[in-house]
Amino acid sequence: MTAQALIHVPKKAKRGEVIEIRTMISHVMETGFRRSQSGEPIPRNIIANFACTYNGVEIFRAELFPAMTANPFLIFRTVAVESGTLAFKWTGDNGFAAEQSVKIEVG
Amino acid sequence: MRAARGPVLAAAFLFAAGAAPAAEVPLPERRSGYDFMGPQTRGMQDDDMANPGMLSVLDGAAAWERKTGAAGKACADCHRDARQSMKGVAARYPRFDEATGRPIDLEGRIARCRTERQQAPPLARESRELVALAVYVAHQSRGLPVEDMVEKDARLRPFLEAGRSQFERRQGQLDLSCAQCHNDNWGKSLAGNPVPQGHPTGYPIYRLEWQSVGSLQRRLRNCLIGMRAESYEFGAPEYVDLTLYLMWRARGMKIETPGVRP
């Protein structure tokens, strides 16, 4: 199944306003430290990087590590400068890559 | 924290074992597990953008539209828009199943539809897709009251009684019954956590301890293991009877799926 993501961005904002962006993506975030019931180590499978761009300009980036919870939930803020697109990208182990984008209207 | 766990647990159990068995929780005093949670966890459940169970709802919505099996049909090809067709359905399960002559729970019904109608390979209990479909279907009943199915269908009565006797029967190495915690001692603490009344209104839930969504049967297995009793295979009739009893016990309470629980 493809990774589902929940993204909250205000649809409209005033120019110069500080807006809150909330993102959550479905991912097991397997630490690599656990073993299966038969004793085999379960290989690490995590999202290692997250980045958000605002009309092509990177405004937020995070590195994630094995101690992060499943379904990482990130909240960050930015200043609404212009109408356009916020693009979100998650990348990780086993070639994991997910992208989503949301439009925002700034007036 | 860890060191304190043993004595607190033992004290709680001793108390439970010593008390006279109380009756069922009176209807007006019933409270969802939600009421026993901290404000942060409640906030997580209330906000659809922060409730990780909603990711599973999205997974279920995608699975609902996906054609599969030899019949080449998706759930949506027969049932159309789940937002209408599945509204209130989860509030009426488990219900009597003519084919087997006993109650069937929601997950069981979905799994059956999958093999019989879609002619697809069976979905294992607790598999991600089956749980996602169950969450998606149950989510359509959010806010609706659990219906009293036994009143509507007398054939369920003996299975309700079987479920009730399981709930009240002492079992396991700790010689505990479900009722001793969830009828007699709800609201008190067990290892620092509040003991809820055990109403299955938020299922399938996102449990923070699991870091995933899981069904009521997975939660029941947890409790049985905690009592050091023997658990059953997922889908076992014992679990379905117990589910029937718990849903009947929660009749009139509102469905919360997807609930978030610690």
Side-chain angles (χ1 to χ4, degrees):
Chain A
M1 269 186 264
T2 51
Q4 303 285 356
L6 290 168
I7 295 168
H8 177 78
V9 174
K11 282 197 178 65
K12 285 183 181 178
K14 288 199 185 87
R15 196 175 304 274
E17 188 185 337
V18 175
I19 55 166
E20 186 179 85
I21 298 163
R22 291 183 275 162
T23 68
M24 179 162 53
I25 186 160
S26 89
H27 197 284
V28 292
M29 296 297 279
E30 187 58 60
T31 61
F33 301 125
R34 300 198 306 161
R35 284 173 184 273
S36 70
Q37 284 194 320
S38 53
E40 309 275 312
I42 305 171
R44 192 186 93 158
N45 176 23
I46 65 167
I47 293 175
N49 275 291
F50 168 76
C52 171
T53 57
Y54 187 176
N55 284 345
V57 182
E58 187 173 288
I59 55 162
F60 182 84
R61 171 178 284 278
E63 267 182 83
L64 278 60
F65 294 92
M68 287 288 292
T69 167
N71 311 318
F73 182 42
L74 295 171
I75 301 180
F76 52 95
R77 291 171 187 84
T78 190
V79 178
V81 286
E82 57 191 7
S83 295
T85 310
L86 285 151
F88 307 88
K89 193 171 181 187
W90 296 261
T91 50
D93 295 339
N94 309 324
F96 179 86
E99 279 183 75
Q100 294 239 353
S101 59
V102 175
K103 295 242 182 282
I104 181 166
E105 205 179 296
V106 177
Chain B
M1 282 301 283
R2 281 271 158 196
R5 222 175 160 94
V8 174
L9 208 80
F13 285 152
L14 279 177
F15 182 86
E24 272 166 9
V25 183
L27 294 190
E29 282 175 39
R30 289 174 311 164
R31 287 161 62 194
S32 159
Y34 176 90
D35 291 348
F36 297 88
M37 306 195 301
Q40 292 88 350
T41 322
R42 280 204 296 251
M44 206 169 170
Q45 173 170 326
D46 292 340
D47 180 355
D48 282 350
M49 283 291 156
N51 181 343
M54 291 307 290
L55 295 167
S56 192
V57 171
L58 293 177
D59 266 343
W64 184 264
E65 303 286 342
R66 199 180 305 130
K67 290 188 194 302
T68 185
K73 282 191 165 176
C75 308
D77 289 331
C78 292
H79 299 289
R80 305 290 160 200
D81 189 348
R83 283 170 298 183
Q84 269 107 50
S85 63
M86 292 296 125
K87 198 173 179 181
V89 167
R92 296 192 286 269
Y93 269 84
R95 58 193 307 171
F96 193 80
D97 171 42
E98 309 277 351
T100 55
R102 49 168 298 111
I104 188 167
D105 63 349
L106 186 61
E107 282 90 349
R109 173 69 77 196
I110 295 170
R112 167 99 61 83
C113 223
R114 174 98 178 174
T115 50
E116 286 184 4
R117 311 269 182 218
Q118 295 180 300
Q119 293 163 32
L123 286 174
R125 288 267 177 169
E126 293 309 310
S127 64
R128 191 173 159 173
E129 190 165 355
L130 183 57
V131 173
L133 279 166
V135 175
Y136 180 59
V137 170
H139 180 60
Q140 311 309 324
S141 303
R142 183 158 73 169
L144 297 174
V146 174
E147 294 188 27
D148 184 348
M149 291 312 290
V150 180
E151 193 185 39
K152 291 185 178 133
D153 189 343
R155 291 175 298 178
L156 287 171
R157 179 71 59 185
F159 302 99
L160 173 77
E161 294 310 325
R164 186 205 303 272
S165 80
Q166 263 199 76
F167 189 82
E168 291 171 355
R169 190 183 78 227
R170 286 177 171 227
Q171 51 185 322
Q173 288 182 318
L174 297 180
D175 197 25
L176 273 173
S177 74
C178 312
Q180 282 177 305
C181 281
H182 300 293
N183 278 354
D184 302 352
N185 287 297
W186 60 266
K188 292 177 189 153
S189 287
L190 181 61
N193 299 315
V195 177
Q197 295 176 349
H199 298 298
T201 48
Y203 283 83
I205 55 164
Y206 188 90
R207 194 161 184 230
L208 301 178
E209 186 187 315
W210 293 338
Q211 304 248 314
S212 70
V213 179
S215 74
L216 178 62
Q217 295 197 3
R218 183 171 172 191
R219 187 66 192 83
L220 293 174
R221 187 181 68 168
N222 255 209
C223 252
L224 288 170
I225 290 170
M227 291 150 71
R228 299 183 207 161
E230 236 174 284
S231 55
Y232 309 99
E233 291 268 310
F234 284 134
E238 287 86 353
Y239 279 139
V240 179
D241 293 348
L242 194 49
T243 304
L244 176 69
Y245 172 67
L246 291 174
M247 286 295 270
W248 174 83
R249 190 168 164 267
R251 62 198 179 282
M253 295 175 73
K254 288 193 168 70
I255 303 263
E256 299 163 35
T257 311
V260 175
R261 294 292 182 269

